[in-house]
Amino acid sequence: MAEADNETTAKGEEPLLSVRHLRKSYGDHEVLKDVSFDVRRGQVLVLLGPSGSGKSTLIRCLNGLETIQGGEIRFKGEVVPNNSEKAWRRLRTEIGMVFQSYDLFPNLTVAKNIELGPTKVQKRPKAEVDEQMDRLLADVQLSEYKNAYPRELSGGQKQRIAIVRALAMNPELMLFDEVTASLDPEMVREVLELMLRLAKRHMTMIVVTHEMEFARRVADTVMFLENGVILERQSGSDFFTNPETDRARNFLDSMSPVGDE
């Protein structure tokens, strides 16, 4: 594990995100226990593990949506003051996050949902934001829905719009928390293909997913968690072909299609 922690340092490249000895508790229940890792620019880190292992809690800590009880989060070389909402409000313009529940404003059109953050939070000119929005919508093949309301979109379309909304803030890091979990199976593919394109464009990403084939294709690094502890950290190719722990092997077996040998 220590070797993996120092991967970016060994390459002479400061991590975009560095987490050290992170602890998170709900009352007496410790959900994350001494979690440490780095994410370098352009890397895709996939978090895997059984339900309740701490994956979603961890990714929410990395956007200031959960308070922490100990440890350090460092972004672009600067320590984020522990549980400082003021600091996190600023950083959320650089760390985008997409949830499984879309979280689009139902009373706003697609365009207004996308414009809101860049124009109100970043104070960017509307004309500049609209030009970028048109490019992004064209990229996800949803230009015709610019003036539609969320209720008029399918689940997959809503999720792609949620991703576009996050990208319109020009984040340096994107966090994805089970973004396909609430989608019908036929809608999952279009969202995963968009995320694959982002990875090929070297977008720095941390992804929580149960889509194993997608994880295999997209992951530079896999972190396998259980009970709030990192049990295993490997390159994506090594994890899926030769997991180090029995627990990870059993997890991968349990996620294989029925009848797969």
Side-chain angles (χ1 to χ4, degrees):
M1 290 294 184
E3 182 178 346
D5 281 342
N6 293 326
E7 177 185 1
T8 54
T9 304
K11 293 182 178 181
E13 173 192 352
E14 182 178 70
L16 178 64
L17 177 74
S18 183
V19 175
R20 289 293 177 270
H21 309 298
L22 188 71
R23 293 188 298 106
K24 168 66 185 176
S25 300
Y26 295 111
D28 294 331
H29 177 49
E30 195 170 24
V31 182
L32 297 172
K33 308 168 186 178
D34 196 26
V35 172
S36 297
F37 64 95
D38 292 334
V39 179
R40 66 183 184 276
R41 292 180 187 274
Q43 180 181 11
V44 178
L45 172 66
V46 173
L47 306 181
L48 297 181
S51 297
S53 60
K55 307 181 302 296
S56 290
T57 299
L58 173 57
I59 208 169
R60 289 174 62 86
C61 289
L62 302 181
N63 204 32
L65 298 176
E66 295 282 356
T67 58
I68 62 175
Q69 279 63 58
E72 176 184 279
I73 299 173
R74 186 181 293 265
F75 185 69
K76 295 200 301 187
E78 295 186 9
V79 175
V80 183
N82 260 8
N83 305 320
S84 167
E85 181 57 28
K86 181 179 179 181
W88 280 116
R89 278 199 303 269
R90 176 179 59 84
L91 284 176
R92 286 187 195 116
T93 67
E94 302 181 71
I95 303 175
M97 185 161 181
V98 183
F99 307 85
Q100 61 178 273
S101 55
Y102 326 129
D103 289 334
L104 299 175
F105 294 107
N107 60 319
L108 299 180
T109 64
V110 164
K112 293 297 183 184
N113 266 282
I114 296 169
E115 290 169 347
L116 194 60
T119 57
K120 300 298 184 183
V121 178
Q122 295 179 327
K123 309 297 183 184
R124 290 163 52 197
K126 184 176 181 298
E128 172 194 309
V129 173
D130 285 350
E131 182 181 349
Q132 180 185 22
M133 175 177 61
D134 288 342
R135 291 198 307 270
L136 290 169
L137 287 174
D139 188 46
V140 299
Q141 300 179 325
L142 291 174
S143 297
E144 63 189 282
Y145 295 97
K146 180 177 177 178
N147 296 313
Y149 287 87
R151 64 179 177 272
E152 301 174 89
L153 307 178
S154 70
Q157 290 168 336
K158 290 177 186 176
Q159 198 58 286
R160 283 183 286 164
I161 293 299
I163 294 172
V164 165
R165 182 179 60 176
L167 293 175
M169 299 286 284
N170 297 320
E172 297 201 40
L173 171 64
M174 283 289 293
L175 310 176
F176 295 93
D177 186 16
E178 292 284 12
V179 296
T180 61
S182 60
L183 298 181
D184 292 334
E186 66 268 21
M187 297 177 182
V188 169
R189 183 183 180 91
E190 60 194 26
V191 174
L192 297 183
E193 286 180 343
L194 171 55
M195 294 170 65
L196 280 167
R197 293 204 303 274
L198 293 177
K200 290 176 181 177
R201 296 169 188 169
H202 307 293
M203 168 65 73
T204 312
M205 299 158 59
I206 302 178
V207 181
V208 175
T209 185
H210 280 107
E211 300 285 344
M212 290 299 105
E213 183 55 33
F214 167 72
R216 183 193 298 267
R217 292 178 63 190
V218 80
D220 295 309
T221 303
V222 171
M223 280 195 341
F224 181 77
L225 286 80
E226 186 172 52
N227 297 323
V229 174
I230 302 172
L231 290 187
E232 190 165 333
R233 183 194 289 108
Q234 286 209 72
S235 71
S237 58
D238 287 343
F239 179 82
F240 285 103
T241 57
N242 189 30
E244 295 175 340
T245 62
D246 289 340
R247 183 64 188 93
R249 279 190 287 273
N250 291 337
F251 173 81
L252 290 176
D253 287 344
S254 73
M255 301 299 285
S256 298
V258 174
D260 184 26
E261 298 181 0

